[in-house]
Amino acid sequence: DASGGEHTLKVFAAGEPQLRTLPPGAIAVDDGGLYVGCGDGRLPLLEVQLAGKRRMSAAEFLRGFSVAGARME
């Protein structure tokens, strides 16, 4: 986040892997979708939950949380 703190993000649903380049662990927003880099491409995240928050669609998550510079470990 903007404060540089760490957050736990649970992934409840993801789409089919895509062959678009994104370094493993990197998080990106593209065409309104939320993606995480994995292997040889990227995985679209469809439903997530931030620690202490309710489960929500990726679109809802992006309306309230910035992923600029974020990474998954």
Side-chain angles (χ1 to χ4, degrees):
D1 72 357
S3 68
E6 292 185 14
H7 296 278
T8 299
L9 182 70
K10 291 182 182 180
V11 177
F12 286 94
E16 292 292 319
Q18 301 175 351
L19 296 177
R20 306 231 359 227
T21 304
L22 187 60
I27 297 176
V29 177
D30 186 22
D31 294 327
L34 179 63
Y35 300 89
V36 64
C38 59
D40 293 328
R42 68 183 190 175
L43 190 65
L45 304 181
L46 304 177
E47 190 173 21
V48 297
Q49 182 180 17
L50 193 59
K53 303 292 183 179
R54 67 176 179 82
R55 200 165 148 174
M56 63 189 78
S57 71
E60 289 174 299
F61 174 79
L62 290 171
R63 283 194 288 273
F65 191 80
S66 172
V67 297
R71 294 191 50 79
M72 291 188 94
E73 294 185 21

